[in-house]
Amino acid sequence: QLQLVESGGGLVQPGESLRLSCAASVFTLDLYAIGWFRQAPGKEREGVSCISSRGGSTAYVKSVKGRFTISRNNAKNTVYLQMNNLKPDDTAVYYCAAGRPLVDTTCPLGPNSYDYWGQGAQVTVSS
């Protein structure tokens, strides 16, 4: 069964950067679209970014466009989320998830499209 492990979270000041990694336990990660989601205390889980199975398509929620970049290295079974110019509103637990959408050149930002989830990584942005 596919297992995902996030790493790279931490405490940073506003304006700083972090890179999250999502490592998969299978060698067929290129079959899966990967999404990054976040959930802050008292809020619903939000789709942040996603990337299609071969990396040809990406999507971002409006609040992170121009600051976050998603990428993948299927040879290393890893997906990354580079987060620049972090803001206090980015504070949340970040989860990566894997799924196989009907159209494999796309990636959805809705959580219901993903079947496998990591355990989450805390990102705290505070001065």
Side-chain angles (χ1 to χ4, degrees):
Q1 183 173 349
L2 174 60
Q3 293 182 325
L4 303 170
V5 178
E6 301 95 338
S7 61
L11 171 63
V12 296
Q13 295 186 347
E16 294 185 338
S17 299
L18 280 175
R19 188 177 78 159
L20 299 180
S21 297
C22 173
S25 63
V26 295
F27 296 105
T28 55
L29 190 63
D30 59 353
L31 296 179
Y32 295 88
I34 301 295
W36 283 99
F37 297 81
R38 65 186 179 186
Q39 189 164 20
K43 294 187 177 181
E44 294 186 353
R45 188 168 295 190
E46 173 188 40
V48 175
S49 181
C50 63
I51 187 166
S52 60
S53 59
R54 292 177 179 80
S57 177
T58 60
Y60 299 89
V61 69
K62 184 178 180 181
S63 60
V64 308
K65 280 184 179 178
R67 300 188 297 122
F68 290 12
T69 303
I70 192 170
S71 62
R72 66 190 298 157
N73 185 331
N74 287 339
K76 294 186 176 181
N77 301 318
T78 304
V79 176
Y80 306 97
L81 185 67
Q82 178 68 42
M83 306 184 294
N84 297 330
N85 190 21
L86 283 161
K87 303 176 180 181
D89 283 349
D90 296 317
T91 296
V93 178
Y94 283 71
Y95 301 88
C96 65
R100 298 187 66 177
L102 292 177
V103 180
D104 63 5
T105 55
T106 65
C107 69
L109 277 177
N112 291 338
S113 298
Y114 295 87
D115 301 308
Y116 303 97
W117 292 79
Q119 82 288 350
Q122 177 69 48
V123 172
T124 303
V125 185
S126 175
S127 55

